[in-house]
Amino acid sequence: MSRKITFLTLFLWLMTVTFPVIAQQKADTTYTFRFVPQKDTFYVPWNGNDTELARLLECIENNKTTILDGKLPLLVDGYCNSLGSEAENLATAKIRANRVKSELIIRAEIKEENFITRNHATEGDFVTVRLTVPVKETAVMHAEAEARRKAEAERLAAEKRAEQERLAEEQRKAEEARFAAEKAEAEKAAHQNKLTDMPLETPTDYHLSLRANLLRWATLTPDLGVEWRICPSWGIAVNGSWTSWSWSDKDRRYALWEVAPEVRYYMGEKKAWYLGAMFKAGQFNYKFSETGKQGDLMGGGITAGYQLRLNKALALDFNLGLGYLNADFEKYEVIDGVRVRRGNETKDWWGPINAGVTLVWKLF
């Protein structure tokens, strides 16, 4: 009986001594905040950071007096491994840790001296905050934190695998694109070599073409001409216009004929641009009011233009001529159907003397 009493007394003494020790043991409670790779901004609503922040603020509030007294520091670890060098990773990890601390200082009203900060250029893109609080208060929280840590490690590993797979897929697609580009370039070069070996079909292939100035036709002035290409660089063109209109019982009149020979020099690889010299001569008879004018015109100048090829047989010739025109004419009135002369006049003109949008038809 005495042995039983002695054993019971010893057991109670051991429980009295060891239970406070066990109750005072500490355990780490970890909170993880995730960051976008290569970025240092703390996005609170992103990727569960808001939930983790709410949990941490609640824990700080429960232990605020101990924290402010300096007995329970917050251990902050910043991580970054998504940049090119260790120095860059450490600098970004430091900024991330400071952003999390700033958020806690503002929201929980704690101070900088309540933190112990370390930065790492390894593991991933996140910041952890750990508090060492009594086990009796955090045993369940510690188990949950450990589970979250493992889940976070698994998630980070899965993200790393997904990122590696994405990079591998991008590299594969880039290689395919490069091979396709090289193949296309080789086919293009082969095609160009083939074209080089073949006679080029350009607007210079023809020797004789028929021409019609569409601007003249639009003013009811029929216009036709021909062009003879002596060689790819030189050509001789002749255009002629003629019209004769009268109305109001022949009291109004519009009559004209012109001939305009031109020598052209074609330039460029495709021989589409050209410069030329033109001579113009003709007669006119205009009566749009009480006084009519009829006489001769003569002049010339330089021309410039561009031929736009439409197909093998057709092209559009855009041209403009600048130079000098002289008009020597007499004025007249019509009285009882008889023209009555009212004097002579001569006029000189410097400026645009010709313009055309000419349809060119290759004959042979």
Side-chain angles (χ1 to χ4, degrees), residues 273-310:
W273 293 95
Y274 63 85
L275 290 174
M278 181 184 66
F279 174 77
K280 178 180 284 192
Q283 293 182 332
F284 61 90
N285 186 348
Y286 303 145
K287 189 174 187 300
F288 302 126
S289 60
E290 295 299 323
T291 302
K293 300 176 182 179
Q294 66 175 5
D296 303 324
L297 59 87
M298 184 177 297
I302 60 173
T303 60
Y306 177 80
Q307 284 196 357
L308 174 65
R309 188 179 187 188
L310 303 179

Side-chain angles (χ1 to χ4, degrees), residues 25-49:
Q25 286 180 349
K26 308 274 185 167
D28 286 346
T29 302
T30 303
Y31 303 86
T32 304
F33 301 99
R34 303 179 182 90
F35 283 74
V36 178
Q38 301 181 353
K39 304 294 183 181
D40 57 28
T41 303
F42 181 30
Y43 298 109
V44 174
W46 182 73
N47 207 4
N49 287 340

Side-chain angles (χ1 to χ4, degrees), residues 166-268:
R166 183 184 66 81
L167 293 175
E169 181 66 15
E170 289 182 355
Q171 184 176 3
R172 184 186 64 80
K173 290 181 178 180
E175 289 293 326
E176 291 180 354
R178 183 175 65 82
F179 289 146
E182 291 177 354
K183 182 179 179 181
E185 188 67 23
E187 292 177 352
K188 181 179 178 181
H191 182 65
Q192 289 179 344
N193 292 335
K194 184 178 179 181
L195 292 178
T196 303
D197 297 336
M198 296 173 59
L200 294 176
E201 290 189 358
T202 67
T204 62
D205 288 338
Y206 63 79
H207 297 284
L208 187 66
S209 62
L210 186 64
R211 303 164 51 82
N213 190 337
L214 302 181
L215 294 184
R216 287 283 193 170
W217 284 89
T219 60
L220 303 180
T221 305
D223 178 277
L224 289 174
V226 294
E227 181 180 5
W228 177 36
R229 292 291 282 271
I230 303 172
C231 64
S233 298
W234 290 94
I236 298 175
V238 178
N239 265 64
S241 304
W242 178 89
T243 188
S244 180
W245 297 90
S246 61
W247 62 95
S248 296
D249 198 18
K250 297 186 178 180
D251 188 45
R252 297 291 184 264
R253 186 168 182 80
Y254 167 58
L256 169 73
W257 71 264
E258 286 182 357
V259 175
E262 180 183 357
V263 177
R264 293 179 170 182
Y265 174 69
Y266 288 86
M267 301 171 293

Side-chain angles (χ1 to χ4, degrees), residues 52-266:
E52 199 77 346
L53 181 60
R55 291 179 56 253
L56 176 55
L57 291 174
E58 181 181 359
C59 182
I60 292 174
E61 185 64 28
N62 294 334
N63 300 274
K64 192 168 184 179
T65 302
T66 308
I67 293 173
L68 293 176
D69 290 343
K71 299 177 181 179
L72 183 60
L74 280 72
L75 307 179
V76 180
D77 289 85
Y79 295 87
C80 179
N81 67 349
S82 57
L83 296 174
S85 65
E86 182 179 2
E88 291 177 316
N89 285 322
L90 287 174
T92 303
K94 180 179 180 181
I95 295 173
R96 290 173 174 176
N98 287 338
R99 294 197 190 280
V100 174
K101 291 194 297 183
S102 298
E103 196 73 25
L104 296 176
I105 290 171
I106 294 172
R107 294 187 182 228
E109 298 181 352
I110 55 179
K111 302 176 181 179
E112 173 68 30
E113 54 264 28
N114 299 131
F115 298 95
I116 297 176
T117 307
R118 293 184 303 173
N119 300 303
H120 313 272
T122 59
E123 296 193 30
D125 295 282
F126 56 90
V127 171
T128 63
V129 179
R130 291 182 292 116
L131 286 84
T132 306
V133 297
V135 170
K136 63 181 180 180
E137 298 178 7
T138 61
V140 176
M141 296 171 59
H142 179 68
E144 293 177 351
E146 182 66 18
R148 284 196 301 274
R149 188 190 65 78
K150 292 181 179 179
E152 178 68 14
E154 293 176 356
R155 187 188 66 82
L156 292 175
E159 288 183 355
K160 186 174 182 180
R161 288 194 300 271
E163 180 68 13
Q164 291 175 346
E165 292 175 357
R166 183 184 66 81
L167 293 175
E169 181 66 15
E170 289 182 355
Q171 184 176 3
R172 184 186 64 80
K173 290 181 178 180
E175 289 293 326
E176 291 180 354
R178 183 175 65 82
F179 289 146
E182 291 177 354
K183 182 179 179 181
E185 188 67 23
E187 292 177 352
K188 181 179 178 181
H191 182 65
Q192 289 179 344
N193 292 335
K194 184 178 179 181
L195 292 178
T196 303
D197 297 336
M198 296 173 59
L200 294 176
E201 290 189 358
T202 67
T204 62
D205 288 338
Y206 63 79
H207 297 284
L208 187 66
S209 62
L210 186 64
R211 303 164 51 82
N213 190 337
L214 302 181
L215 294 184
R216 287 283 193 170
W217 284 89
T219 60
L220 303 180
T221 305
D223 178 277
L224 289 174
V226 294
E227 181 180 5
W228 177 36
R229 292 291 282 271
I230 303 172
C231 64
S233 298
W234 290 94
I236 298 175
V238 178
N239 265 64
S241 304
W242 178 89
T243 188
S244 180
W245 297 90
S246 61
W247 62 95
S248 296
D249 198 18
K250 297 186 178 180
D251 188 45
R252 297 291 184 264
R253 186 168 182 80
Y254 167 58
L256 169 73
W257 71 264
E258 286 182 357
V259 175
E262 180 183 357
V263 177
R264 293 179 170 182
Y265 174 69
Y266 288 86

